[in-house]
Amino acid sequence: MTRLIAGIFLALVTCFAWGSDTIPLKHAISLFGEPKYQKDFKHFDYANPNAPKGGEFRQAVIGQFDSITPYVDRGSAAAGSYLLYDSLLQRSWDEPLSKYGLIAETIELDPDNRWVAYHINPKARFNDGHKVTARDVKFSFDLLREKGSTFYRHFYDDIEKAQVTAPMRVLFTFKTNKNRELPLILGQMPILPEHYWQDRDFPAPGFEVPVTSGPYQIDKINPGRSIIYKRDKNYWGRNLAVNRGRYNFDRMVFEYYGNESVLLQAMFDNQYDFRLITDPTIWNTQLSESKIKKHHLIQEIIKNHNPQTLTLTYNTRRPFLKDARVRESLGYAFNFQQINHNLFFGMYRRAESFFAGSELAATGIPSPAELKWLDPWKKELPKALFHEPFKAPDSQLASGDRLNQAKALKLLKQAGWQIKDNRQVNAQGEPLILNALVATEEHEKVLLSIKDGLSRLGITLNVQRIDPLQMVARVRELDFEIILHIYPHTPSPGTEQASFWGSQTVDQPGTRNVSGVHSPVVDHITQQITSATSRKELLSLIHALDRVLLWGHYSLPLWYPPSWNVLYRDTLKHPETAPLYALDLSTWWHKAKKPPAAKATGGQTHH
């Protein structure tokens, strides 16, 4: 009898912890509301399921690579290495945050958000023929958390454990039920084969071709110079709805170049096929209609609904940059109007937010919804934050802007600096000398322009240009003072904001908190973001975070591009409908054969 009672108790506990038949299996999950595409959908609206397969897609990359593992802090992974592994779920790029079954055929969500279970698609295979099982998923989670990059270790911090409850079912239990993003975060985890990696050194750089699960395999590696991927024609997921009309090229080629100066001519010489143009000088002066026609190219502007803001980022761990007043003063040396006119042909938009150009950006003064998060911290925050809109300084110091010069000099004086022999010096007589690192010619031009403005304040800025591989290493080791940096965000910011701004990993090599923010206010707000119960509440939190960062002067938002300016070979084609939130090159194809027009998606959609 005792054994019978124990067995019944164990069964009840198992049912509670692992889910039950009353919880419906989902084909997709969304952060708020229902996913756009229903269970029987045929393809994403921005993909053409009739796109032909074949041809080659060549892209250019600046720098070098010494690894084909993009999930660790050591080395620099080859471009395109994300093509090697599938994840549990696939994100759609015409929704703020929804994900659909990929390796996970269905998802089981605890109504109280204490766990999530993924049911593995029985068709899922690694490229050596081994089935993907729940053991591989658990292995991937444990491996990434123990030996992956700092980002992954922090990303999975709210997850208690992973358990294999059946050969094709894996259960993740959470430390808290407040983080609504966890099922979506886990969904983007790459699935690695246990039978391959269990006896290998995962973080080690190198070029041993691994066992993979994604749509492409490595075909050829020329270390540091080029890498070629070939489409796996037996790829297990080729007929899934999330993949129809995607991964159309037989070969994906990434050629590495030493610097940007040769890239345009290389494209004219038919050495590669596609380039995202970020240098307005090239876009406006070096792409004449006759050249475009002669070299069989297409020049196109594609609207970007999720623009990314370039910032002047300060390493606040460094002694001269610890004081927010010093950091604020540096902003007065940046003359956006002059730089945008002289260098960028008016192509960029001034940023006054870390989320500029989107509904995520804070505007005006704090709303009542934002004050809910800000008011408890009034003593720790600047008074101006509550009463004034943030206005980025638009200096003209290089042109003798005396008003802004006076503001900057006042801030420096308050921070303990004074002019002596035309130089700012502190109480110890040390001159205010700062060092900036850049990896491109375009960024070098920007920093040299800021250098001129700073010299009028008595501040010396040394600008050092290094190669991209060195840049990655220096930033990873926090060995810098000033850089130009983008904090990438999606239309639905979440856990990654704590990685960018939270103090938990602030001094760890490889941290994404490159500016060194260490603020209890920021920590509190970033921890609340993942608990938002509606899109409206999420926006109020992001706006509040934006204000705290802006008024803390940890980084200075500079500008953002309102569109993607692309140049590509006329043998390439993309769907007429573009995704709202990404430039998804996986939907492009080689137009040797003209595909039939795509029909509307087969499944009904929610709007």
Side-chain angles (χ1 to χ4, degrees):
M1 178 64 73
T2 302
R3 288 184 179 180
L4 177 61
I5 292 173
I8 294 172
F9 176 75
L10 179 61
L12 288 172
V13 170
T14 301
C15 179
F16 175 76
W18 292 357
S20 73
D21 293 339
T22 61
I23 296 178
L25 299 180
K26 297 176 176 288
H27 75 290
I29 51 177
S30 185
L31 186 59
F32 303 117
E34 293 295 320
K36 172 182 175 180
Y37 299 95
Q38 291 191 351
K39 185 177 180 179
D40 60 347
F41 84 103
K42 304 302 181 186
H43 60 86
F44 291 137
D45 286 346
Y46 54 85
N48 184 347
N50 299 312
K53 305 294 185 184
E56 185 175 77
F57 187 23
R58 303 167 302 168
Q59 298 180 63
V61 188
I62 298 295
Q64 297 176 340
F65 66 95
D66 59 6
S67 168
I68 49 177
T69 306
Y71 311 116
V72 297
D73 285 333
R74 288 171 62 182
S76 181
S81 48
Y82 62 89
L83 296 165
L84 297 174
Y85 295 101
D86 274 342
S87 52
L88 286 169
L89 305 178
Q90 173 63 50
R91 184 173 192 152
S92 70
W93 286 110
D94 54 355
E95 303 172 76
L97 185 52
S98 293
K99 294 184 180 179
Y100 297 78
L102 184 53
I103 279 181
E105 185 176 35
T106 53
I107 310 108
E108 209 177 334
L109 285 177
D110 172 31
D112 197 34
N113 196 43
R114 295 190 180 277
W115 55 265
V116 64
Y118 301 94
H119 294 255
I120 309 307
N121 192 318
K123 297 178 182 178
R125 296 286 188 278
F126 292 108
N127 68 355
D128 64 353
H130 279 71
K131 290 182 67 172
V132 181
T133 69
R135 283 179 58 93
D136 294 300
V137 178
K138 181 184 185 307
F139 173 82
S140 300
F141 171 76
D142 293 338
L143 183 66
L144 289 167
R145 186 154 71 168
E146 293 169 12
K147 298 183 178 180
S149 68
T150 302
F151 171 76
Y152 281 106
R153 294 198 295 272
H154 176 71
F155 216 39
Y156 298 149
D157 195 50
D158 282 341
I159 299 164
E160 182 69 38
K161 60 183 176 180
Q163 295 171 273
V164 175
T165 63
M168 305 301 279
R169 184 178 183 273
V170 61
L171 171 75
F172 292 91
T173 53
F174 306 151
K175 295 177 182 177
T176 172
N177 68 342
K178 302 298 183 184
N179 189 336
R180 294 168 51 86
E181 259 202 334
L182 290 179
L184 293 149
I185 287 172
L186 285 165
Q188 70 190 56
M189 178 173 62
I191 305 306
L192 309 164
E194 180 183 21
H195 67 275
Y196 175 83
W197 283 110
Q198 61 185 346
D199 297 321
R200 286 176 166 83
D201 183 3
F202 181 64
F207 299 111
E208 181 182 347
V209 176
V211 174
T212 59
S213 60
Y216 285 87
Q217 301 176 23
I218 293 175
D219 186 31
K220 184 178 180 181
I221 300 174
N222 186 354
R225 302 187 64 179
S226 68
I227 185 166
I228 301 173
Y229 304 89
K230 61 181 178 181
R231 184 168 60 86
D232 184 354
K233 296 183 180 180
N234 296 314
Y235 169 49
W236 75 272
R238 62 190 179 278
N239 294 320
L240 296 180
V242 295
N243 286 332
R244 288 197 188 106
R246 303 177 67 223
Y247 309 122
N248 301 312
F249 298 100
D250 279 349
R251 301 201 332 155
M252 299 283 286
V253 180
F254 295 88
E255 293 280 354
Y256 279 74
Y257 293 82
N259 57 70
E260 288 190 334
S261 62
V262 298
L263 282 186
L264 187 60
Q265 187 57 49
M267 191 161 197
F268 289 156
D269 292 341
N270 195 24
Q271 293 182 24
Y272 66 98
D273 303 313
F274 173 92
R275 185 177 177 191
L276 177 64
I277 305 291
T278 59
D279 186 340
T281 302
I282 293 176
W283 187 261
N284 288 278
T285 67
Q286 299 180 37
L287 298 176
S288 65
E289 186 176 346
S290 60
K291 278 189 176 181
I292 294 292
K293 186 176 181 179
K294 176 183 177 182
H295 297 290
H296 305 285
L297 298 171
I298 295 174
Q299 189 178 13
E300 185 176 0
I301 297 175
I302 301 173
K303 175 65 177 174
N304 184 354
H305 295 270
N306 184 42
Q308 308 294 302
T309 297
L310 182 70
T311 71
L312 187 67
T313 288
Y314 315 117
N315 186 350
T316 63
R317 305 167 188 83
R318 295 302 179 98
F320 289 172
L321 292 169
K322 284 184 177 293
D323 195 310
R325 293 167 295 189
V326 172
R327 301 194 299 268
E328 183 181 358
S329 74
L330 303 182
Y332 286 98
F334 175 64
N335 183 349
F336 172 73
Q337 297 297 337
Q338 184 183 68
I339 291 175
N340 199 34
H341 180 269
N342 292 345
L343 298 182
F344 303 146
F345 298 84
M347 213 164 90
Y348 292 145
R349 302 288 181 270
R350 183 69 167 108
E352 294 185 315
S353 163
F354 289 93
F355 309 94
S358 74
E359 66 173 345
L360 304 172
T363 58
I365 60 174
S367 67
E370 295 169 51
L371 291 174
K372 172 185 175 181
W373 314 110
L374 297 170
D375 275 344
W377 301 94
K378 265 193 170 180
K379 291 183 179 179
E380 285 83 3
L381 295 171
K383 291 181 180 179
L385 181 151
F386 294 91
H387 307 294
E388 301 174 20
F390 179 83
K391 184 68 177 174
D394 188 15
S395 174
Q396 298 178 16
L397 288 183
S399 304
D401 184 342
R402 296 183 180 276
L403 180 61
N404 277 330
Q405 187 174 20
K407 290 178 181 178
L409 291 172
K410 182 179 179 181
L411 286 165
L412 289 165
K413 186 175 182 180
Q414 291 171 351
W417 295 87
Q418 59 180 333
I419 291 287
K420 186 175 182 181
D421 297 328
N422 295 319
R423 296 194 305 174
Q424 291 284 350
V425 295
N426 59 16
Q428 291 73 43
E430 297 172 305
L432 185 48
I433 300 174
L434 300 170
N435 299 287
L437 297 181
V438 296
T440 68
E441 182 180 359
E442 178 190 355
H443 284 180
E444 187 175 29
K445 291 177 183 177
V446 173
L447 265 301
L448 289 175
S449 176
I450 294 174
K451 175 179 181 174
D452 290 342
L454 288 175
S455 67
R456 293 177 178 270
L457 298 174
I459 299 172
T460 298
L461 178 67
N462 298 318
V463 180
Q464 181 184 5
R465 184 173 171 184
I466 57 179
D467 71 57
L469 203 60
Q470 285 181 299
M471 188 73 169
V472 170
R474 293 279 295 270
V475 174
R476 189 178 285 165
E477 295 299 323
L478 306 177
D479 183 17
F480 72 94
E481 287 185 330
I482 297 175
I483 56 173
L484 292 174
H485 185 68
I486 291 175
Y487 298 92
H489 63 83
T490 70
S492 187
T495 303
E496 79 287 343
Q497 296 304 308
S499 297
F500 293 151
W501 314 110
S503 62
Q504 186 174 351
T505 62
V506 64
D507 292 322
Q508 295 179 16
T511 180
R512 294 198 173 188
N513 183 355
V514 295
S515 59
V517 179
H518 200 302
S519 160
V521 188
V522 171
D523 285 344
H524 177 74
I525 294 175
T526 55
Q527 289 163 10
Q528 298 303 311
I529 287 172
T530 54
S531 302
T533 58
S534 67
R535 177 75 178 174
K536 184 177 180 180
E537 185 175 45
L538 175 65
L539 289 175
S540 72
L541 281 159
I542 297 300
H543 293 163
L545 173 65
D546 197 18
R547 294 183 194 281
V548 175
L549 296 173
L550 290 168
W551 287 96
H553 302 285
Y554 303 104
S555 300
L556 174 67
L558 300 179
W559 63 75
Y560 67 94
S563 59
W564 289 293
N565 290 22
V566 295
L567 184 69
Y568 57 93
R569 199 76 48 202
D570 64 6
T571 53
L572 301 182
K573 193 169 177 60
H574 60 77
E576 292 183 8
T577 300
L580 291 175
Y581 303 119
L583 184 62
D584 189 356
L585 297 178
S586 75
T587 64
W588 290 42
W589 66 86
H590 194 279
K591 67 173 185 178
K593 297 179 181 178
K594 185 176 181 181
K599 296 179 181 179
T601 184
Q604 292 178 317
T605 59
H606 293 283
H607 294 284

